[in-house]
Amino acid sequence: MSTKAQPGSLVRKRIQITGVVQGVGFRPYIYRLAKECGLAGTVLNDSAGVDVEVEGDAVPVEKFIARVRPEAPPLSKIVTFDVSELPVHGDREFRIVMSHGTQEQKVLISPDVAVCQDCLREMFDPHDRRYKYPFINCTNCGPRFTIVRDIPYDRPLTSMAVFPMCPECQREYDDPANRRFHAQPNACWKCGPQVQLWDATGKAVTGKDPVGAAVARLRAGEIVAIKGLGGFHLAVDATNNDAVERLRQRKRRFEKPLAIMVPDVETAQRYCELPDESRRVMESVQRPIVLLRRKVVSQICQKPAGMGNYQVSDRIAESVAPGIHELGVFLPYTPLHHLIFAAGKFKALVMTSANLSEEPIAIDNQEALQRLGDIADWFLVHNREILIRSDDSVVRVSGAKIRQIRRSRGFVPMPVFLNRDLPPVLAVGGELKNTICLTRAKTAFLSQHVGDLENMESFGFFEETVEHLTRILEIEPQAVAYDLHPDYLSTKWALEQKGKKLIGVQHHHAHIASCMAENGLDESVIGFSLDGTGYGTDGKIWGGEVLIADYTGFERAAHFEYIPLPGGAAAIHEPWRMAVSYLRHHFGAEFANLDIPFVRSLDLKKLGVVVQMLQKGIHSPLTSSCGRLFDAVAALAGIRNIVSYEGQAAIQLENTIVPGEERDAYEFEICEQDGTRIIHTRQLFEAMVRDLCARVERGVIARRFHDGLVRIFAEVAEAIRKDTGLRKVCLSGGTFQNLYLAENLQRRLELAGFEVLTQSEVPCNDGGLSLGQAMIAASQLRS
């Protein structure tokens, strides 16, 4: 029971605060609050967070403590707040003192955040000494994670250490009343980083306005590599179709959508539907790429109130995102971005990761010149070192939730907060969309997006990420968790580690555990784990799985029937192979006589090779993959026979859906085999063939397929509930990036009385896999 402080009694209190409290203006905030309350004492950063001591009359001390949390800086996040008594020292003033380290580093580093409005006003003020300075920042904005070498977060431990502050900047840094008080990246034209424009040989272009020169090149249709916060972008005018096509050819990214940056939300709204929640996310300090449904040309060309008519040249080039209804759109987040748009008056710029397809993003000037010299015509570089690669984050809003597609810049290294203490574990993720995860107490730190570990460059980035995070967090893992697939580079790396407990985790079990962890569950659930590929405990390729799972283990309650994957990985890139596999499985050799467009269009020579593979079982592993089922349906419906990026056939199949009645959904059949429910697809393909013979519109076929999946999954869930009494359902795996399937299945399950848990803080795709691996490995360690 607390006692009310008595006026006139002198006390000293210590407040130890952990969370995101460094690099966000927390010490100057504490300093000003203590001054306002008339208190003496100290505040410092240490390796755990912020340590505050306040001394004074008991009443103002209590008021100070009560105000710290609710008035904290907007970029901060307080996790723990511990108050203790100290002997009175007799201090006469309040001071910010030098940081010091402790044996165990527990500080949470702030992610990089977008430039704030105060800094933008100064940057565009001709009378301000930072007029048009491309690196303007303050305690409320700017680089954080990508410039940190170590903690505590102080300038000597960042890439700004090589830029001594000029007297003016030093005065701001030392002034508690200034917005830049202890802003570690503080700089100006006199003392800070500078921008240069290089040609493709690395020769600097002379002139006083490198930004203006780069803008002129962009307006001429050329490709400019632009150095940002976490790496380079490759930029072209998004309304110039020829320029976009040239970028695609050089980058070897032939059809995968390219993100566009627009100057403001009003421009985004010209091209896309922009619900309030999507707008809020787009304007947030994280500035992620937001997936938005694009408007049709007739909508774009209409004249909104207060705006002039659109010209055809204002339209986003079709080659930016061919064949799909969404655009990835984001806003400028660095001062340099704002300067480019102000100088160029661009409607939109393609701003895509500066790399060859599937390689890591370039971060160093010379590295960019070497790796991108055959792609970019010009390089807009600067001399502030980027210490860690960090791609742009990608999100989508669904069901009033932000759904992470790629969790990286702006969100990392913010941890996922857990409901239980965990031992230190390193989880190394999977092969595609790789991330790693480190656990400590009630926090799980997921890395930035590493990417697909399909080459040595990406694997090198993976190793960099493991080294950087384990060092900066000072976590010495007791165990390393990895995927069961023996050929994954992350798995091979894990198996080479010495002195650690090595724990293999089944891919789809990890997906469900990831969803459980994010939602604070610690019990058995029904888990729908749907994706393209995952190594099963029977050595087959799984992907259409319904599990009864908790952190200690799982039971495979249901799955799609096994179908041969003719050519192995070749079938992933050529969906027509899966369509042939399903047709032959259900109709035998007679499938070649079906009078449908798909069969008539097949190359007989290639078909003969695939049929031989299937007949003899050569290079045709068995799969229960939901992703490959989508591929087969897309190919059979005439939507996509060959893909140029992962998930392309499924994305375009979903995009094809036309509204209609759910009652005409395609049927599936459930059969039991050795206590497991097997979902058979014969009825689906028989109905599809009938519709194709009757020339039913492909959008109707797409809808009937999706509605059939929703119906059969709901039936499976109800059957499992009847057997087990379980009512909580977790949805995870890359297939749930399909909004039509995810939203309709969730709605149907909730109407049937299930509690449905989905993911928003981490991706449901393989980008969230490492979190689930860590949770399962930690459970094994504890037991």
Side-chain angles (χ1 to χ4, degrees):
M1 183 175 178
S2 62
T3 57
K4 190 172 181 180
Q6 297 299 314
S9 57
L10 198 63
V11 298
R12 188 178 183 92
K13 296 286 181 78
R14 183 183 189 189
I15 307 107
Q16 294 170 292
I17 306 168
T18 68
V20 181
V21 288
Q22 293 190 17
V24 293
F26 208 92
R27 287 180 300 171
Y29 156 68
I30 290 292
Y31 177 91
R32 288 190 290 269
L33 184 60
K35 288 284 193 179
E36 186 180 327
C37 294
L39 303 176
T42 59
V43 59
L44 60 87
N45 281 347
D46 63 19
S47 295
V50 169
D51 195 316
V52 183
E53 293 185 16
V54 286
E55 182 173 313
D57 188 82
V59 173
V61 166
E62 281 199 358
K63 288 181 179 178
F64 170 88
I65 293 170
R67 290 175 60 182
V68 169
R69 278 180 180 267
E71 298 177 23
L75 298 182
S76 66
K77 184 177 179 67
I78 294 175
V79 177
T80 64
F81 189 87
D82 297 322
V83 181
S84 56
E85 299 270 357
L86 289 175
V88 173
H89 286 190
D91 286 350
R92 295 181 177 275
E93 61 178 0
F94 195 90
R95 298 173 292 117
I96 294 179
V97 299
M98 288 293 293
S99 304
H100 63 73
T102 58
Q103 287 188 336
E104 185 181 5
Q105 298 190 9
K106 295 182 179 179
V107 71
L108 301 183
I109 303 165
S110 167
D112 302 282
V113 290
V115 59
C116 68
Q117 290 301 312
D118 288 332
C119 285
L120 284 178
R121 277 192 291 272
E122 291 175 352
M123 188 178 72
F124 287 114
D125 179 1
H127 304 293
D128 194 278
R129 71 186 187 91
R130 291 188 176 88
Y131 179 52
K132 292 188 176 181
Y133 182 56
F135 303 95
I136 191 169
N137 69 87
C138 68
T139 52
N140 298 322
C141 69
R144 300 289 193 278
F145 177 58
T146 54
I147 65 167
V148 173
R149 292 188 194 280
D150 210 336
I151 51 177
Y153 176 66
D154 281 331
R155 194 177 181 107
L157 296 177
T158 74
S159 59
M160 289 297 294
V162 297
F163 299 103
M165 282 182 279
C166 67
E168 293 95 333
C169 286
Q170 188 68 52
R171 278 194 292 272
E172 293 170 334
Y173 184 88
D174 294 334
D175 180 4
N178 194 285
R179 198 174 80 252
R180 295 185 172 90
F181 182 47
H182 283 237
Q184 304 307 331
N186 190 31
C188 71
W189 283 111
K190 292 180 181 179
C191 62
Q194 305 293 326
V195 171
Q196 282 188 320
L197 182 66
W198 293 356
D199 66 16
T201 69
K203 181 181 178 182
V205 176
T206 58
K208 294 183 178 180
D209 186 11
V211 174
V215 164
R217 268 65 178 189
L218 288 168
R219 296 202 68 83
E222 296 183 272
I223 301 169
V224 180
I226 301 172
K227 191 174 183 181
L229 278 182
F232 279 78
H233 287 109
L234 289 167
V236 294
D237 185 345
T239 65
N240 185 330
N241 199 68
D242 289 343
V244 177
E245 287 288 4
R246 193 181 315 115
L247 173 60
R248 282 196 176 280
Q249 292 300 317
R250 293 184 186 179
K251 186 176 162 70
R252 301 176 203 164
R253 182 170 172 170
F254 302 111
E255 292 184 281
K256 192 174 182 180
L258 300 167
I260 62 170
M261 182 178 283
V262 297
D264 46 49
V265 290
E266 290 73 26
T267 305
Q269 202 158 13
R270 289 170 60 173
Y271 300 119
C272 300
E273 297 172 7
L274 189 62
D276 289 344
E277 188 63 19
S278 295
R279 179 177 181 141
R280 186 189 69 77
V281 175
M282 183 174 285
E283 292 182 307
S284 68
V285 295
Q286 290 85 12
R287 289 292 198 277
I289 297 170
V290 183
L291 299 184
L292 301 173
R293 189 171 184 86
R294 65 165 77 186
K295 290 180 177 178
V296 298
V297 173
S298 59
Q299 289 175 298
I300 295 172
C301 293
Q302 289 172 358
K303 180 181 177 182
M307 298 186 71
N309 289 319
Y310 294 114
Q311 303 298 318
V312 175
S313 62
D314 285 347
R315 286 169 50 189
I316 301 300
E318 186 57 37
S319 55
V320 166
I324 63 173
H325 297 330
E326 286 184 318
L327 284 174
V329 186
F330 61 141
L331 296 178
Y333 56 85
T334 70
L336 184 57
H337 294 151
H338 285 276
L339 290 170
I340 290 169
F341 274 97
K345 307 297 181 187
F346 296 105
K347 298 292 186 290
L349 290 173
V350 166
M351 294 283 266
T352 186
S353 301
N355 54 7
L356 276 174
S357 187
E358 309 313 330
E359 287 186 359
I361 188 172
I363 58 172
D364 177 75
N365 294 345
Q366 292 300 324
E367 172 202 12
L369 197 66
Q370 181 180 359
R371 288 175 50 199
L372 308 174
D374 293 333
I375 305 177
D377 301 306
W378 304 92
F379 292 78
L380 190 60
V381 302
H382 60 73
N383 57 342
R384 184 178 68 200
E385 188 179 1
I386 299 172
L387 299 179
I388 189 70
R389 303 172 208 270
S390 190
D391 259 305
D392 295 313
S393 296
V394 182
V395 305
R396 171 193 276 130
V397 175
S398 167
K401 273 190 172 184
I402 303 170
R403 310 283 182 180
Q404 295 278 352
I405 306 297
R406 185 171 75 195
R407 185 178 183 269
S408 205
R409 178 195 51 78
F411 296 96
V412 173
M414 280 291 290
V416 176
F417 295 100
L418 308 171
N419 67 347
R420 56 157 77 176
D421 279 321
L422 297 186
V425 170
L426 166 64
V428 296
E431 186 84 335
L432 302 179
K433 301 178 176 63
N434 179 270
T435 62
I436 69 163
C437 180
L438 283 160
T439 59
R440 181 178 65 204
K442 291 185 177 180
T443 51
F445 298 88
L446 270 76
S447 73
Q448 72 276 35
H449 170 78
V450 175
D452 298 348
L453 302 185
E454 296 181 334
N455 52 57
M456 292 314 295
E457 290 83 4
S458 295
F459 182 64
F461 180 24
F462 163 82
E463 291 184 307
E464 283 175 23
T465 303
V466 172
E467 189 280 330
H468 183 80
L469 274 188
T470 52
R471 176 173 51 81
I472 206 167
L473 297 172
E474 277 202 349
I475 295 176
E476 183 61 37
Q478 297 175 9
V480 178
Y482 59 91
D483 191 276
L484 294 180
H485 199 300
D487 294 332
Y488 284 179
L489 291 178
S490 55
T491 296
K492 291 179 177 180
W493 181 90
L495 294 176
E496 292 174 355
Q497 303 311 300
K498 307 298 182 185
K500 315 284 186 190
K501 185 175 179 63
L502 306 180
I503 301 174
V505 178
Q506 201 282 320
H507 188 97
H508 300 93
H509 185 201
H511 271 308
I512 301 306
S514 176
C515 185
M516 291 172 60
E518 182 179 334
N519 287 282
L521 298 182
D522 194 3
E523 59 194 277
S524 292
V525 299
I526 301 170
F528 284 82
S529 190
L530 309 178
D531 60 10
T533 300
Y535 194 83
T537 54
D538 57 2
K540 297 182 175 67
I541 301 171
W542 292 7
E545 313 306 312
V546 189
L547 310 179
I548 298 171
D550 57 22
Y551 298 127
T552 64
F554 72 93
E555 173 190 341
R556 199 182 186 197
H559 62 86
F560 281 112
E561 63 181 321
Y562 283 125
I563 299 292
L565 187 71
I572 298 173
H573 301 294
E574 300 180 5
W576 70 269
R577 292 174 179 250
M578 284 310 302
V580 168
S581 185
Y582 273 101
L583 289 177
R584 186 181 179 280
H585 179 77
H586 292 307
F587 297 96
E590 293 302 310
F591 86 88
N593 297 324
L594 292 171
D595 187 22
I596 56 176
F598 171 76
V599 172
R600 292 196 299 268
S601 70
L602 289 172
D603 181 305
L604 294 181
K605 186 177 180 180
K606 291 181 178 179
L607 175 61
V609 172
V610 168
V611 169
Q612 285 288 311
M613 282 182 175
L614 293 171
Q615 285 177 342
K616 298 179 180 180
I618 299 171
H619 196 31
S620 298
L622 295 178
T623 182
S624 61
S625 167
C626 188
R628 302 291 78 81
L629 176 60
F630 269 87
D631 285 349
V633 171
L636 195 56
I639 292 169
R640 199 84 209 180
N641 275 354
I642 298 175
V643 299
S644 65
Y645 60 90
E646 185 199 10
Q648 185 178 15
I651 291 169
Q652 293 188 356
L653 181 67
E654 181 191 6
N655 278 194
T656 309
I657 293 171
V658 296
E661 295 294 327
E662 188 271 340
R663 63 174 177 269
D664 63 356
Y666 291 141
E667 297 288 339
F668 293 79
E669 184 181 4
I670 302 175
C671 298
E672 282 212 23
Q673 181 178 324
D674 300 328
T676 301
R677 293 175 173 86
I678 312 298
I679 304 171
H680 288 270
T681 57
R682 181 180 179 89
Q683 289 176 300
L684 159 68
F685 283 97
E686 287 177 339
M688 273 195 70
V689 168
R690 287 195 298 270
D691 280 352
L692 289 167
C693 289
R695 297 183 179 178
V696 172
E697 183 185 352
R698 66 179 61 174
V700 174
I701 291 173
R703 174 178 49 77
R704 289 174 177 173
F705 168 64
H706 282 78
D707 288 346
L709 288 177
V710 170
R711 180 183 292 177
I712 195 65
F713 290 151
E715 287 179 18
V716 168
E718 293 194 35
I720 295 172
R721 178 171 61 182
K722 185 177 179 181
D723 291 346
T724 64
L726 295 174
R727 305 180 68 85
K728 290 184 178 178
V729 176
C730 287
L731 307 181
S732 191
T735 300
F736 285 111
Q737 291 175 172
N738 182 313
L739 289 187
Y740 187 95
L741 175 64
E743 292 177 350
N744 282 282
L745 179 57
Q746 180 172 355
R747 188 179 303 114
R748 182 154 185 153
L749 289 172
E750 287 174 344
L751 286 173
F754 289 96
E755 181 182 349
V756 181
L757 292 311
T758 60
Q759 292 182 266
S760 60
E761 194 173 353
V762 300
C764 67
N765 60 40
D766 285 4
L769 202 67
S770 59
L771 173 61
Q773 291 174 339
M775 297 298 294
I776 293 166
S779 179
Q780 287 196 29
L781 279 180
R782 291 200 306 185
S783 64

